[in-house]
Amino acid sequence: MMQSRFFRILIVVVAAFLLLFGTGHGLMRQLAAAPGEREQTTFFYIAPGSSVSVVAMEAHKLRLVREPWHFKLITRWKGLDRALYAGEYQIAPHASLEDVLGQIKEQQTYKRRVIIPEGASVAEVEGILATSFGLDMAAYRAPEEGSLLPETYFYERGDTANEIVKRMQSALDLALDEYWAARAPHLPVRDRHETLVLASIVEKETGLADERPLVAAVFTNRLKKGMRLQSDPTVIYGISSGQPLGRSLTRTDLRNDTPYNTYRRNGLPPTPIANPGIAAVAAVLNPASVPYLYFVADGSGGHVFAETLSEHNRNVARWREIEKTRP
């Protein structure tokens, strides 16, 4: 009789436990799967070394969960309290807590991007990096001029600007190796450094893809003949060190003897004047086979090229007439 009563009590206790367990399990599943309140896309950042409590408070602040303890409870229930990987996560509108934790578990971090335009100087690149959200500029070290490959680079919040710079430098090294190996014979540039110097000048002289081989040919021909390059962008760099000049060049500027004034100095300037794109590098290493020695703006965004000085002077006169008609 006593044994029978004991078993009945045991059955009731076990049944109550299973009911409570099932109810609790169901409630947690419901809590995890409930749609979030946030109606807009949210960027949820977990800083390295953050505790579950800190992350839960941040999730609550962003309205990803109604209460911080919801986040802590479901995180521990799913065994993810030790798998809250640092990084930034793009959370869709009304994402459930289960969805959020799934992204974190799979380390589906959000990739931001920074665009470095062709012809940007290292000073301008620093400004771009400094205004790129989430990039760490602490201990930033400015690279050498011309050592970066302009491109679109992806990064994660918390990455350092120095890491991006290293990637830009590696990308340039790889590309330069490829084009240097396929260079044309008898070029006036003796090494990779001189290639980048001349490519940076070509880059700053024209933004038109079909003109780069022609501009490269002009400078190649002038170097072979011992003529000065007479490039305005080099003069500007000698004055502004890579920042925009903000005004037109004057005759005084052209007479100012800096190491970058190719009106007064023979050969190439000592360093690149910008970070050239790979198309400018390719043009310098395989310039067009043309006899041109001069070029000047044509008034439509491009240039007109000439082989002789007399022809060039006529082109310059036409350009000056066009300038007079401009407001």
Side-chain angles (χ1 to χ4, degrees), residues 8-283:
R8 285 201 300 272
I9 293 172
L10 179 61
I11 291 171
V12 171
V13 171
V14 170
F17 174 78
L18 291 175
L19 179 61
L20 288 172
F21 178 80
T23 301
H25 189 76
L27 287 174
M28 284 191 285
R29 286 179 59 86
Q30 185 179 1
L31 187 63
E37 296 181 342
R38 190 81 179 204
E39 296 181 355
Q40 300 86 23
T41 297
T42 307
F43 291 96
F44 182 32
Y45 181 58
I46 301 177
S50 298
S51 66
V52 174
S53 295
V54 169
V55 178
M57 290 298 295
E58 180 66 16
H60 177 247
K61 187 172 83 172
L62 295 174
R63 292 173 51 218
L64 297 178
V65 292
R66 290 187 178 182
E67 299 293 340
W69 66 265
H70 290 179
F71 188 93
K72 291 192 285 186
L73 177 65
I74 301 304
T75 298
R76 292 197 170 97
W77 175 55
K78 287 184 169 291
L80 299 177
D81 47 317
R82 295 184 180 276
L84 294 178
Y85 299 105
E88 185 177 29
Y89 299 88
Q90 183 178 16
I91 309 301
H94 302 296
S96 68
L97 182 50
E98 193 168 39
D99 293 333
V100 173
L101 291 174
Q103 285 184 241
I104 297 173
K105 180 182 178 181
E106 297 299 324
Q107 301 183 57
Q108 297 174 359
T109 51
Y110 180 70
K111 303 296 188 293
R112 295 185 175 271
R113 67 178 183 176
V114 58
I115 301 173
I116 307 300
E118 296 174 341
S121 67
V122 292
E124 291 171 320
V125 170
E126 182 174 354
I128 293 170
L129 295 177
T131 55
S132 297
F133 180 81
L135 265 186
D136 182 3
M137 292 295 292
Y140 176 75
R141 297 183 300 277
E144 293 183 1
E145 192 72 83
S147 66
L148 311 176
L149 181 65
E151 248 306 349
T152 297
Y153 295 89
F154 291 89
Y155 68 94
E156 293 186 19
R157 183 173 170 179
D159 286 352
T160 69
N162 287 329
E163 291 171 338
I164 303 295
V165 164
K166 287 180 181 178
R167 286 165 54 194
M168 294 179 192
Q169 291 172 327
S170 296
L172 178 62
D173 288 342
L174 288 174
L176 190 54
D177 284 346
E178 177 184 348
Y179 284 92
W180 179 259
R183 69 191 183 280
H186 312 303
L187 293 174
V189 289
R190 296 170 296 181
D191 52 33
R192 288 165 171 78
H193 172 74
E194 290 188 352
T195 298
L196 291 173
V197 173
L198 187 53
S200 71
I201 299 173
V202 171
E203 188 69 75
K204 298 299 287 186
E205 286 283 6
T206 181
L208 301 180
D210 58 349
E211 279 195 354
R212 290 191 184 103
L214 297 174
V215 172
V218 168
F219 290 133
T220 295
N221 294 339
R222 292 178 76 92
L223 288 170
K224 286 182 176 180
K225 290 179 176 292
M227 300 172 65
R228 290 177 178 173
L229 297 183
Q230 297 183 319
S231 168
D232 288 359
T234 65
V235 179
I236 293 172
Y237 189 86
I239 298 170
S240 68
S241 299
Q243 297 286 6
L245 186 59
R247 61 174 176 80
S248 299
L249 282 175
T250 65
R251 291 185 178 181
T252 300
D253 293 329
L254 297 181
R255 290 194 296 266
N256 185 20
D257 187 17
T258 75
Y260 293 89
N261 189 337
T262 53
Y263 283 87
R264 295 183 60 88
R265 301 286 184 106
N266 295 328
L268 294 168
T271 72
I273 61 171
N275 292 285
I278 201 60
V281 172

